[in-house]
């Protein structure tokens, strides 16, 4: 009889969990994507396996990742023959299913201890809130350590409730996985004080064991990287008003999407005294971790990554408090009542964040395609040991193993992160990464610059480059055609090893107007773009500097509004300043080749194209209708 009872208990637990796993894995498949930042860890792991150590660039010992334990997992399983991409997705799915499992068990046990009816149904509801969270599905498949840390945070709550000393290794692993692990240690000390109202011996013992465990790790970091705080911390934080504003804005989006606009956590406070300790612990964790998210400025990555540790504690607190309150109010069918609350939460979180999460997925996939095709073609046409500076470094760095890749936002570069350039007054940007050092980057003389938005400067560090004549005079755009997106992607190539003086001497209004002009839709707003280009040119004229690309961009817009003669004059004006402008030669080649009387001029521009980017000429020839016999 006991054996049959155990089997029945196992079945009644396994079946609802199997349903929850199925729902969750369906969402994982729907929102499958590999985040660019995951490739940062892949590059560190690859360099280590190649014998170069835990480095981004060979010889530069900078801790540009915040996921040491996740990195060790990658290295270990890669040595067993498991590809990085396979490991991160399988491990992420297993860990998040583990989070769903612990959520279910904690709620079921809490309800049973309180003699709440329909304990399994209520536990299923809590698990459903977790399983239908879009952000959890997205980040489970994204390749980062997020699902591991979220799992460890909830596992720590589970072990603390059972007063298990396994809490110590769980906290140690959490701290090795993310720096936020130190918050968990402080959190449980606080919980111990609140619950015992005296010296929390268990929590103090666990803390001491944890700290002793991680001392060798801290010593290693200090000796290897020169400090215990990851370099990316310095790159991302500024501790100013804008950071706090960004943090509360980020937190509001999480509360709006998943926590009933913040109303539900507040309502839970009214029933918290009447409920089980697990609900109080989860709600306290929810509040304190929310505060942490706001104070550090949220996350530079979208799709709710930093909110994942909040999801399961919220689901536990919501269902346990609701069940307890409904039972104490003598409400019939407590399970049904809690089910209605769960249904409301699930409907809201399936509806509100969908477009945003789907948009993040599409943007990330498009970015992957753009970088992959561009960098792959760059490697084909340049087999030298070239260096690259980029603002979006993950996949770029992974594809360029053995090449120096300068991180313009400073995640993997200690100079930019710890010694940034003073913020340039009036420089506009929507990027959250606000630290840069354009002079330092130029001093390293990278062979290429890869901007996240193609040729358009977007990040503060990219825009700052345009205030240096050394950049504008010595870097020119070369094209790569992406088949999947059917468009040209420009890469800035160094044309001369002698950059001259690295002085920032151009007006900020120039780059602000240029950026806004380049941001106008390519198929419309031509007059607006021309007006902005005129303002950018006037700003440069005021200091006696000529930038040929302004005339080229103006020519492109003029051609689109039918002013072909004026468009040609602008292209010619651009080439009179610098004959290395691929775009101007391309436009004039395609224009002149259409008429027999100007075909000889077209062929001269074709010669320049062959000099600047011969790999793209066959595509242009096909467009122009060029034949060898025409020469």
């Amino acid at each position: 009889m006991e054996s049959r009872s155990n089997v029945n208990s196992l079945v009644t637990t396994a079946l609802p969990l199997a349903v929850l796993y199925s729902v969750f894995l369906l969402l994982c498949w729907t929102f499958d994507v590999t985040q660019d930042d995951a490739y940062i860890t892949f590059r560190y792991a690859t360099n280590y396996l190649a014998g170069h150590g835990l480095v981004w660039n060979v010889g530069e010992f900078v801790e540009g990742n915040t996921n040491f334990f996740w990195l060790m997992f990658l290295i270990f399983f890669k040595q067993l023959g498991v590809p990085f991409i396979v490991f991160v997705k399988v491990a992420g799915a297993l860990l998040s299913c583990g989070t769903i499992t612990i959520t279910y068990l904690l709620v079921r046990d809490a309800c049973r201890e309180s003699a709440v009816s329909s304990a399994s149904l209520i536990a299923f509801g809590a698990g459903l809130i977790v399983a239908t969270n879009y952000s959890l599905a997205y980040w489970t498949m994204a390749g980062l350590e997020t699902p591991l840390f979220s799992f460890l945070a909830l596992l720590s709550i589970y072990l603390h409730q059972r007063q298990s000393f396994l809490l110590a290794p769980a906290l140690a692993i959490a701290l090795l996985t993310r720096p936020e692990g130190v918050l968990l240690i402080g959190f449980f000390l606080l919980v111990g004080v609140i619950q015992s109202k005296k010296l929390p011996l268990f929590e103090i013992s666990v803390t001491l064991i944890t700290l002793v465990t991680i001392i060798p790790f801290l010593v290693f970091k200090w000796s290897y990287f020169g400090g215990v705080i990851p370099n990316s911390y310095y790159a991302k934080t500024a501790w100013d008003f804008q950071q706090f504003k960004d943090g509360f804005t980020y937190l509001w989006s999480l509360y709006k999407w998943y926590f009933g606009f913040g109303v539900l956590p507040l309502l839970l406070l009214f029933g918290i005294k009447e409920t089980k300790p697990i609900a109080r612990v989860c709600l306290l964790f929810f509040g304190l971790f929310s505060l942490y998210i706001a104070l550090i400025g949220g996350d530079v990555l979208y799709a709710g990554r930093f909110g994942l540790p909040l999801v399961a504690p919220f689901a536990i607190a919501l269902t346990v408090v609701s069940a307890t309150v409904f039972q104490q109010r003598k409400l019939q069918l407590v399970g049904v009542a809690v089910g209605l609350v769960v249904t409301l939460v699930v409907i809201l979180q399936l509806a509100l964040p969908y477009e945003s999460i789907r948009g993040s997925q599409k943007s990330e996939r498009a970015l992957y395609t753009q970088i992959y095709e561009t960098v792959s073609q760059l490697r084909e046409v340049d087999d030298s040991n070239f260096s690259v500076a980029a603002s979006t470094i993950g996949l770029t760095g992974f594809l360029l193993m053995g090449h120096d890749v300068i991180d313009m936002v400073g995640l993997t570069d200690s100079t930019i992160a710890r010694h940034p350039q003073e913020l340039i007054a009036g420089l506009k940007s929507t990027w959250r990464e606000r630290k840069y050092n354009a002079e330092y980057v130029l001093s390293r003389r990278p062979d290429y610059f890869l901007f996240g938005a193609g040729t358009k400067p977007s990040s503060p560090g990219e825009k700052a480059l345009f205030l240096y004549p050394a950049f504008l005079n010595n870097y020119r755009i070369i094209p790569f055609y992406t088949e999947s997106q059917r468009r040209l992607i420009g890469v800035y190539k160094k044309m001369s090893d002698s950059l001259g003086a690295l002085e920032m001497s151009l007006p900020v209004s120039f780059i602000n107007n240029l950026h806004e002009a380049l941001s106008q839709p390519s198929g419309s707003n031509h007059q607006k773009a021309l007006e902005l280009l005129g303002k950018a040119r006037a700003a440069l004229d005021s200091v006696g500097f000529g930038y040929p690309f302004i005339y080229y961009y103006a020519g492109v817009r003029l051609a689109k509004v039918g002013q072909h003669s004026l468009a040609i004059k602008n292209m010619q004006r651009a080439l009179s300043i610098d004959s290395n402008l691929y775009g101007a030669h391309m436009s004039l080649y395609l224009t002149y080749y259409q008429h027999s009387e100007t075909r000889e001029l077209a062929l001269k521009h074709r010669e320049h194209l062959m000099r600047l980017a011969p790999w793209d000429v066959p595509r242009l020839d096909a467009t122009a209708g060029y034949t060898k016999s025409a020469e």
Side-chain angles (χ1 to χ4, degrees), residues 7-18:
V7 171
N8 290 338
S9 176
L10 181 62
V11 170
T12 55
T13 300
L15 285 178
L17 284 175

Side-chain angles (χ1 to χ4, degrees), residues 383-451:
D383 59 2
S384 69
N385 188 28
F386 58 83
S387 59
V388 167
S391 295
T392 307
I393 61 165
L395 182 60
T396 299
F398 186 61
L399 293 173
L400 294 176
M401 298 303 305
H403 296 263
D404 277 355
V405 177
I406 304 166
D407 178 6
M408 291 178 62
V409 299
L411 298 177
T412 62
D413 191 290
S414 60
T415 299
I416 295 174
R418 305 187 189 211
H419 308 285
Q421 181 176 345
E422 185 176 346
L423 295 181
I424 300 171
L427 188 66
K428 299 176 182 178
S429 177
T430 59
W431 278 52
R432 294 282 304 279
E433 297 96 333
R434 292 180 287 140
K435 292 187 177 181
Y436 55 89
N437 193 327
E439 182 175 336
Y440 157 75
V441 173
L442 285 170
S443 72
R444 294 191 59 173
R445 287 166 167 71
D447 296 297
Y448 299 97
F449 279 92
L450 274 64
F451 291 175

Side-chain angles (χ1 to χ4, degrees), residues 15-16 27 49 86 121 171 295 339 466 475 532 542 547 572 596:
L15 285 178
L27 286 183
L49 292 170
V86 172
L121 177 62
L171 291 175
L295 292 178
F466 280 70
Y475 285 87
L532 291 164
S542 68
Y547 187 47
Q572 292 171 336
S596 58

Side-chain angles (χ1 to χ4, degrees), residues 14-92:
L15 285 178
L17 284 175
V19 173
L20 293 173
Y21 297 158
S22 299
V23 170
F24 176 68
L25 293 176
L26 177 62
L27 286 183
C28 287
W29 177 78
T30 301
F31 293 105
D32 182 29
V33 71
T34 305
Q35 190 75 20
D36 185 77
D37 280 29
Y39 292 96
I40 296 177
T41 308
F42 295 175
R43 178 170 164 112
Y44 270 90
T46 302
N47 271 330
Y48 178 83
L49 292 170
H52 303 306
L54 296 175
V55 295
W56 173 255
N57 289 325
V58 176
E60 299 178 12
F61 293 88
V62 179
E63 188 181 14
N65 58 318
T66 56
N67 52 10
F68 182 83
F69 199 75
W70 187 246
L71 172 61
M72 293 300 103
F73 266 133
L74 282 171
I75 291 172
F76 175 77
F77 281 95
K78 181 66 174 178
Q79 289 179 315
L80 296 180
V82 181
F84 293 142
I85 203 71
V86 172
F87 168 76
V88 295
K89 293 185 183 293
V90 172

Side-chain angles (χ1 to χ4, degrees), residues 13 16 27 35 101 149 154 213 217 271 391 398 456 576:
T13 300
L27 286 183
Q35 190 75 20
T101 302
F149 183 77
L154 188 62
T213 303
F217 169 65
S391 295
F398 186 61
K456 181 179 71 175
S576 71

Side-chain angles (χ1 to χ4, degrees), residues 51-359:
H52 303 306
L54 296 175
V55 295
W56 173 255
N57 289 325
V58 176
E60 299 178 12
F61 293 88
V62 179
E63 188 181 14
N65 58 318
T66 56
N67 52 10
F68 182 83
F69 199 75
W70 187 246
L71 172 61
M72 293 300 103
F73 266 133
L74 282 171
I75 291 172
F76 175 77
F77 281 95
K78 181 66 174 178
Q79 289 179 315
L80 296 180
V82 181
F84 293 142
I85 203 71
V86 172
F87 168 76
V88 295
K89 293 185 183 293
V90 172
L94 291 174
L95 288 163
S96 291
C97 285
T99 298
I100 294 171
T101 302
I102 296 175
T103 301
Y104 179 90
L105 295 176
L106 281 172
V107 173
R108 186 197 63 181
D109 293 349
C111 289
R112 285 179 176 176
E113 290 172 8
S114 300
V116 175
S117 59
S118 305
S120 294
L121 177 62
I122 295 170
F124 180 83
L128 189 62
I129 291 174
V130 178
T132 56
N133 187 285
Y134 289 149
S135 291
L136 182 62
Y138 180 100
W139 290 107
T140 288
M141 305 304 287
L144 295 173
E145 73 287 350
T146 315
L148 174 58
F149 183 77
S150 298
F151 169 77
L152 289 169
L154 188 62
L155 177 64
S156 297
I157 292 175
Y158 178 88
L159 294 172
H160 179 265
Q161 288 302 110
R162 280 150 180 74
Q163 297 287 283
S164 170
F165 277 95
L166 290 176
L167 176 60
L171 291 175
I173 295 173
L175 187 55
L176 293 174
T177 301
R178 289 284 307 176
E180 290 89 345
V182 71
L183 299 178
L184 296 179
I185 297 174
F187 171 74
F188 289 115
L189 282 172
L190 176 62
V191 170
V193 171
I194 294 173
Q195 288 184 340
S196 64
K197 298 180 180 179
K198 57 183 180 181
L199 196 65
L201 296 179
F202 170 73
E203 286 78 10
I204 291 175
S205 300
V206 166
T207 298
L208 291 175
I209 295 172
T210 303
L211 294 177
V212 169
T213 303
I214 66 170
I215 283 176
F217 169 65
L218 298 178
V219 171
F220 162 76
K221 289 186 67 173
W222 186 274
S223 60
Y224 198 86
F225 297 115
V228 297
I229 299 176
N231 185 73
S232 52
Y233 165 82
Y234 298 99
K236 292 181 178 180
T237 56
W239 297 109
D240 56 11
F241 175 76
Q242 185 62 47
Q243 175 175 311
F244 302 142
K245 180 183 176 182
D246 290 342
F248 281 100
T249 301
Y250 182 89
L251 189 65
W252 167 244
S253 68
L254 294 176
Y255 276 36
K256 178 176 64 175
W257 288 349
Y258 299 122
F259 310 126
F261 294 86
V263 173
L264 291 177
L266 291 176
L267 291 177
L268 293 180
L269 293 175
F270 292 99
I272 200 68
K273 289 184 178 181
E274 304 172 357
T275 191
K276 299 292 292 183
I278 182 62
R280 292 196 288 271
V281 170
C282 285
L283 195 57
L284 179 61
F285 177 85
F286 180 90
L288 293 178
F289 203 84
S290 293
L291 180 61
Y292 164 75
I293 292 173
L295 292 178
I296 63 167
D299 189 16
V300 297
L301 302 178
Y302 296 102
R305 179 173 68 128
F306 275 12
L308 295 199
L310 302 176
V311 175
F314 169 75
I316 293 167
L318 178 69
T319 50
V320 173
V321 171
S322 298
T324 304
V325 170
F326 290 153
Q327 183 186 51
Q328 291 177 347
R329 300 300 185 274
K330 310 296 184 183
L331 190 69
Q332 298 295 320
L333 302 175
V334 170
V336 174
V338 175
L340 292 175
V341 175
V342 169
T343 300
L344 173 63
V345 172
V346 170
I347 289 174
L348 288 175
Q349 70 179 22
L350 288 177
L352 294 175
Y354 179 81
E355 291 299 329
S356 181
I357 303 299
R358 178 64 87 179

